[in-house]
Amino acid sequence: MLTIVGPGRIGRALARLAADQEVEACLLGRGEPMEDGAGPIVVCTRADDVAAVIDACPRPDDLVFVQNGALLPWLRERGLAEATQGQLWFAVPGIDASPQAGAESVLVGRHAPGLAYLLGRAGLPARVLPGFEALPNEVATKLLWLSVFGVLGDLHQETVLASVARRDDVTALVAELVPVCAAALGATLDVDATVARLCAYSIAVGSWRAGMKEWRWRDGWLQAAALRHALATPLHDAGCVRLAAPCSTPAL
Ligand SMILES: NC(=O)c1ccc[n+]([C@@H]2O[C@H](COP(=O)([O-])OP(=O)(O)OC[C@H]3O[C@@H](n4cnc5c(N)ncnc54)[C@H](OP(=O)(O)O)[C@@H]3O)[C@@H](O)[C@H]2O)c1
């Protein structure tokens, strides 16, 4: 049985596509207990709520994490480095909205094949990574998309499709954040290939309005990691400062 924790946008979308495929699934809200037994437990809460789900879980080996942001180091600290993890490259803009396919999602871990199959049959392409060593690049790529298009979206109050036209800004932000992801996550990303991948996704989910969210796991995590590794990220810093408290920092 498929257990889904968190009846929000992603959780409800997964529950719907399981029902469409006649896969037995159970969608749990706050305070509803997870059952012993077998099968994946897909955690579809925001990153800040993940710790509570882990603490309440009777079988942590079955947990599946699909959160955006840099959870990977934190999951390692919690002893969950080899739990099933995924980076979802589709967008669910609202409760009960249809998922908008954007790019191929990636999953790794014991429940990855089953979940990739479920997504694929629903028209959301997904593949299984060859091993956990491939995960840092995938986490870093999605993190860069969230951060770069989030900062640009908030600064210019525009959709991700509109931000694609600011290719120089996208490239400059990616170029200064790639070394941070290398130092802090061990990711080995090529700047031009990453820019191309991020822009292709933004074109695919064009009407999405990205913004700075979940500070601790995204832009705040990047800022702290840059500081820790003595890496300069002036454009990203300027964007964050302007959004937190408008001032006279250079425009992006
Ligand atoms: N939406 C997307 O397009 C998208 C795409 C890729 C990845 N993601 C990732 O997927 C995750 C979920 O995103 P979302 O957009 O679905 O968020 P969301 O709409 O905010 O839904 C989160 C849900 O989790 C529930 N929840 C929180 N703590 C819980 C707990 N302890 N037990 C059970 N339920 C709990 C929340 O309930 P309350 O309402 O009571 O807080 C809410 O219903 C995020 O980490 C996000 O980064 C989202």
Side-chain angles (χ1 to χ4, degrees):
M1 169 147 99
L2 171 65
T3 302
I4 302 163
V5 182
R9 295 176 292 178
I10 290 288
R12 289 169 72 111
L14 287 184
R16 273 198 316 280
L17 64 88
D20 290 347
Q21 296 176 39
E22 297 181 2
V23 171
E24 195 187 354
C26 152
L27 178 60
L28 301 176
R30 284 180 193 271
E32 294 187 282
M34 288 162 257
E35 290 190 357
D36 276 333
I41 302 171
V42 188
V43 184
C44 296
T45 67
R46 297 254 151 212
D48 275 341
D49 293 317
V50 169
V53 178
I54 295 171
D55 290 344
C57 183
R59 43 189 177 98
D61 288 351
D62 283 323
L63 287 168
V64 179
F65 300 100
V66 296
Q67 280 62 37
N68 285 324
L71 267 74
L72 188 55
W74 181 81
L75 287 173
R76 285 179 182 145
E77 283 168 22
R78 298 264 337 206
L80 290 163
E82 304 232 327
T84 306
Q85 294 173 59
Q87 292 295 304
L88 303 181
W89 287 90
F90 59 81
V92 185
I95 288 281
D96 292 332
S98 295
Q100 205 179 344
E104 198 173 48
S105 295
V106 293
L107 293 135
V108 65
R110 68 192 296 196
H111 292 303
L115 292 168
Y117 181 72
L118 187 78
L119 293 175
R121 282 194 68 202
L124 301 170
R127 77 184 156 92
V128 178
L129 293 173
F132 282 93
E133 65 283 358
L135 195 54
N137 275 6
E138 297 299 330
V139 169
T141 304
K142 186 74 189 282
L143 176 64
L144 290 175
W145 183 77
L146 296 159
S147 175
V148 170
F149 283 88
V151 167
L152 292 174
D154 275 348
L155 277 176
H156 302 290
Q157 298 291 303
E158 64 189 14
T159 64
V160 293
L161 182 60
S163 295
V164 169
R166 303 180 194 279
R167 183 98 177 189
D168 289 349
D169 291 339
V170 172
T171 304
L173 280 162
V174 169
E176 71 172 30
L177 293 174
V178 157
V180 179
C181 293
L185 288 173
T188 53
L189 297 178
D190 172 79
V191 171
D192 291 338
T194 302
V195 169
R197 191 171 164 195
L198 303 194
C199 287
Y201 183 61
S202 288
I203 290 167
V205 297
S207 60
W208 184 267
R209 170 65 169 79
M212 260 197 344
K213 293 175 200 146
E214 298 194 290
W215 173 256
R216 175 186 165 198
W217 303 100
R218 306 186 190 182
D219 295 284
W221 183 89
L222 284 164
Q223 272 200 345
L227 200 62
R228 211 165 50 245
H229 293 280
L231 292 163
T233 55
L235 295 173
H236 182 251
D237 291 347
C240 294
V241 168
R242 279 186 63 193
L243 291 167
C247 65
S248 57
T249 48
L252 269 173

